[in-house]
Amino acid sequence: MIDRIGGEPQVERLVNHFYDLIETLPQGAAIMAMHQRGHGLRHVRPEQFDFLCGFFGGRRYYHERHGHMNLREIHAHLEIRQQDAEDWLAVMERAMVETGVTDRERAEIMATFRRAALMLVNRG
């Protein structure tokens, strides 16, 4: 998938635009608050880039640095509601549209993201 969407440069554009949206859209407020309660904002963009490169089938930077890519473990310190997952998904889809990820690839990625995001919901 990483090659189909434009390689690491596209992943970097996607991550940066996603977090620009998270920092400015109302849908991003709860996600921003989670980062503030968790590990803070400083690490977010590089960690997301590292994770998504491997998630999309490229180099597994996150795994190389942390020894795993287990989403539940990564997010275990957070309370995640259904609405948080839906907000994350909506903002990510917008970021993909606005950074030029094609419809076909976006649909495939979003189906996988939806399963992953809903699996992380741990609070009613």
Side-chain angles (χ1 to χ4, degrees), residues 66-86:
H66 301 286
H68 69 90
M69 289 185 59
N70 182 315
L71 281 173
R72 285 187 188 212
E73 186 175 332
I74 294 167
H75 296 90
H77 64 286
L78 298 168
E79 290 185 356
I80 300 174
R81 301 168 300 142
Q82 174 85 25
Q83 189 60 54
D84 300 327
E86 295 296 343

Side-chain angles (χ1 to χ4, degrees), residues 14-29:
L14 176 62
V15 167
N16 283 326
H17 191 58
F18 172 76
Y19 280 105
D20 289 346
L21 293 172
I22 287 292
E23 292 174 6
T24 58
L25 293 176
Q27 290 160 303

Side-chain angles (χ1 to χ4, degrees), residues 44-106:
V44 171
R45 291 176 194 236
E47 293 286 0
Q48 184 80 15
F49 171 82
D50 288 353
F51 185 86
L52 287 180
C53 282
F55 187 84
F56 291 147
R59 185 164 172 187
R60 295 174 49 141
Y61 297 111
Y62 191 93
H63 185 270
E64 290 172 14
R65 289 185 178 95
H66 301 286
H68 69 90
M69 289 185 59
N70 182 315
L71 281 173
R72 285 187 188 212
E73 186 175 332
I74 294 167
H75 296 90
H77 64 286
L78 298 168
E79 290 185 356
I80 300 174
R81 301 168 300 142
Q82 174 85 25
Q83 189 60 54
D84 300 327
E86 295 296 343
D87 289 346
W88 190 96
L89 290 164
V91 175
M92 180 54 80
E93 184 153 26
R94 178 172 171 177
M96 283 195 285
V97 168
E98 293 179 359
T99 59
V101 177
T102 63
D103 291 346
R104 180 177 171 208
E105 279 71 26
R106 189 171 67 252

